[in-house]
Amino acid sequence: MADEWSEVRFQTLFSEPLRNGLTRPKAVRGAGTQMINMGEVFAHSRIADIQMERVPLSEKEAERYLLQSGDLLFARQSLVLSGAGKCCYVLNAEESRTFESHIIRARLNSSLADPLFYYYFFNSPIGRQRMESIVEQVAAAGIRGSDLAVLDVPLPNLKEQWAIARILGTLDDKIELNRRTNETLQSVARAIFKSWFVDFDPVRLKMEGRQPEGMDAETAALFPDSFEGSDVGRIPRGWKSGILGDIAQNSRTSIRAEDLSGDMPYIGLEHIPRRSIALSAWGYAHEVKSNKYVFSKGDFLFGKLRPYFHKVGVTAVDGVCSTDILVVQPREAVFNSLVLMTIASDDFIAHTDSSSTGTKMPRTNWADMSRYQIAIPTVEVTKAFYEITMPLVDRIQSSVSMSRTLIKIRDTLLPKLISGELRVPAMEKIVEEMADG
């Protein structure tokens, strides 16, 4: 720590005592208060508006257990040492939220402490080292609130806390903006796919003598104004009935563990986010010991175990992946976004679920996946869809690369700023310029 920083017991900074969350009530549909569970704690370091379970909450419980922006949440237990005491930061959200009993809430006194600074402290190497000093490991790793309260933490002056948190927060804000932008781009691509190839909206509207919405006349002219029967049901006239294997293939190029380059990107099921085609996280080959499949930038990865059928993504780098993941490629470049949106669709995931085999861990395979029936559009419609949606996919990949760079910068700065090794004034302008860019 910097020489001029004093240290205090963590509890010195509290505005109210640490509190464990509610014993988990039964979840309810629709109504109720959103509840942060351990899944959210381990999936998100900064928790804002995300989908989560809802629970009933009495007025008395609301007084004690509703969260506020700036609260810090700590995981009381984890199956692994690195997860015990994981610290999350609560951001503003549109809805009220509470938290369950395996989570500890810390609420800091704003006249003494910037909670964002302490969020970064507990996520720094020195903060993790101190946290692990109070972890008890029996069947699982865990911490006690009483030990957390008396943990020694640094106490820079409030202005310096705020400045450090602002530097690191600026980077995280840009990373979060990229994530939200990717979600929007993905939603747009999914909506177009569903409209064109599932609901056949342009055809239906033309049958009614109406112009397809949100579509120029040139693109609308590519669609027929009637349907015809086929092996896959009613499809637009002039289209063909087919299967996924007609437009996509499974790449099964493998590599032995001993031939892996240590710095080669590695993607496992744990790296693929739920219902998101943006693959923004990966490990490296030195972390794995078994044979892997090879993939190239732009290939599609599909989790083939039943709990992970919703894990589909487009790769932003060359690398290797777990053999529990299928590598899917379009047979022709023009089929690229059509294949991606097909295997990421709810209907396709339902198909893989129903055709999976096995008891403990049901799984699918390419033979079953490739037989998924589809309506194959004309070359002109396929090309139009490619030209509209591939720029969206390209922007997602570019955003992923930018976020990876920002994460690397943040993780490099974090220990240096938290320890006082790197002084604030030297970094503020640089970080502002990076975030603006």
Side-chain angles (χ1 to χ4, degrees):
M1 294 295 173
D3 294 339
E4 65 271 25
W5 289 1
S6 60
E7 295 209 348
V8 296
R9 296 277 177 91
F10 192 32
Q11 62 188 7
T12 306
L13 308 177
F14 297 166
S15 63
E16 55 184 80
L18 291 177
R19 178 165 291 153
N20 293 343
L22 285 162
T23 300
R24 186 170 179 176
K26 186 177 181 180
V28 296
R29 289 181 177 272
T33 302
Q34 289 192 324
M35 170 172 271
I36 296 175
N37 293 310
M38 294 292 280
E40 283 79 44
V41 167
F42 289 123
H44 305 276
S45 292
R46 305 197 312 167
I47 302 178
D49 285 304
I50 55 176
Q51 293 295 319
M52 59 186 92
E53 290 185 346
R54 296 175 181 275
V55 298
L57 209 63
S58 69
E59 186 175 334
K60 185 175 181 180
E61 288 172 332
E63 290 177 3
R64 291 174 55 83
Y65 296 105
L66 281 183
L67 292 166
Q68 297 177 8
S69 175
D71 283 346
L72 300 179
L73 301 180
F74 296 86
R76 288 178 57 202
Q77 292 179 318
S78 173
L79 295 176
V80 295
L81 176 63
S82 59
K86 183 195 174 185
C87 178
C88 296
Y89 183 80
V90 177
L91 292 162
N92 278 319
E94 292 185 2
E95 294 193 51
S96 298
R97 293 157 297 173
T98 186
F99 59 110
E100 58 110 333
S101 59
H102 290 90
I103 299 170
I104 301 172
R105 184 196 71 191
R107 184 168 290 166
L108 305 188
N109 183 340
S110 59
S111 66
L112 295 173
D114 181 342
L116 190 56
F117 169 82
Y118 286 96
Y119 156 75
Y120 285 116
F121 167 73
F122 283 112
N123 281 282
S124 71
I126 190 169
R128 275 306 306 170
Q129 184 179 33
R130 293 195 182 181
M131 183 65 72
E132 290 178 6
S133 73
I134 63 171
V135 172
E136 297 178 351
Q137 197 149 11
V138 188
I143 63 169
R144 298 177 186 272
S146 56
D147 293 329
L148 177 60
V150 298
L151 202 63
D152 287 335
V153 297
L155 185 62
N157 66 65
L158 194 55
K159 183 178 180 181
E160 192 162 12
Q161 289 180 42
W162 180 86
I164 291 172
R166 178 172 170 269
I167 289 171
L168 298 170
T170 297
L171 295 170
D172 272 334
D173 288 344
K174 179 62 175 176
I175 294 165
E176 175 64 14
L177 177 61
N178 287 344
R179 185 191 68 79
R180 289 176 178 269
T181 299
N182 286 346
E183 284 186 350
T184 300
L185 295 172
Q186 176 177 305
S187 295
V188 170
R190 285 181 183 274
I192 297 172
F193 171 80
K194 187 174 184 298
S195 176
W196 287 23
F197 304 114
V198 178
D199 299 332
F200 304 125
D201 288 334
V203 181
R204 295 184 187 281
L205 288 169
K206 291 182 73 171
M207 286 179 66
E208 298 170 3
R210 293 191 289 162
Q211 173 72 14
E213 298 176 2
M215 182 180 290
D216 59 53
E218 184 179 355
T219 304
L222 303 177
F223 290 86
D225 57 7
S226 61
F227 291 94
E228 61 185 3
S230 76
D231 294 341
V232 297
R234 285 179 24 126
I235 62 174
R237 184 170 298 278
W239 292 22
K240 298 178 181 179
S241 62
I243 58 175
L244 178 63
D246 293 332
I247 62 172
Q249 60 191 2
N250 171 216
S251 172
R252 298 190 62 184
T253 303
S254 61
I255 186 170
R256 298 180 304 172
E258 55 266 33
D259 295 330
L260 291 172
S261 171
D263 60 354
M264 182 180 294
Y266 161 73
I267 294 178
L269 288 172
E270 67 275 16
H271 297 118
I272 306 179
R274 295 174 181 273
R275 299 195 178 279
S276 172
I277 64 171
L279 295 180
S280 57
W282 52 82
Y284 292 94
H286 71 267
E287 302 168 4
V288 297
K289 305 298 181 184
S290 57
N291 296 352
K292 301 298 168 193
Y293 288 137
V294 176
F295 63 79
S296 300
K297 180 180 178 180
D299 285 349
F300 312 135
L301 303 186
F302 187 96
K304 67 181 182 181
L305 303 184
R306 179 180 285 178
Y308 306 106
F309 291 161
H310 54 268
K311 289 198 165 191
V312 183
V314 54
T315 59
V317 291
D318 296 340
V320 295
C321 65
S322 164
T323 53
D324 287 330
I325 293 173
L326 291 167
V327 180
V328 181
Q329 301 169 329
R331 290 193 177 276
E332 298 178 32
V334 74
F335 291 132
N336 199 305
S337 51
L338 181 58
V339 171
L340 175 60
M341 290 297 109
T342 297
I343 65 174
S345 69
D346 291 339
D347 286 346
F348 184 76
I349 291 170
H351 166 80
T352 56
D353 184 60
S354 63
S355 63
S356 60
T357 58
T359 52
K360 289 186 177 180
M361 191 68 75
R363 63 184 61 219
T364 188
N365 57 69
W366 177 247
D368 288 335
M369 287 172 59
S370 68
R371 288 194 289 269
Y372 178 70
Q373 293 184 315
I374 59 173
I376 301 176
T378 62
V379 173
E380 292 78 14
V381 170
T382 303
K383 184 178 179 182
F385 183 67
Y386 174 88
E387 291 176 346
I388 291 172
T389 55
M390 275 312 296
L392 305 181
V393 176
D394 290 343
R395 282 183 62 188
I396 289 173
Q397 289 183 293
S398 176
S399 179
V400 165
S401 297
M402 179 188 295
S403 290
R404 289 286 298 191
T405 299
L406 293 172
I407 289 169
K408 186 174 182 180
I409 293 169
R410 180 202 62 196
D411 291 348
T412 300
L413 293 179
L414 177 57
K416 296 180 182 295
L417 287 167
I418 291 297
S419 67
E421 177 186 342
L422 187 63
R423 309 313 296 170
V424 170
M427 290 308 306
E428 284 184 310
K429 184 172 178 60
I430 296 173
V431 171
E432 283 181 2
E433 291 174 352
M434 286 189 303
D436 291 340

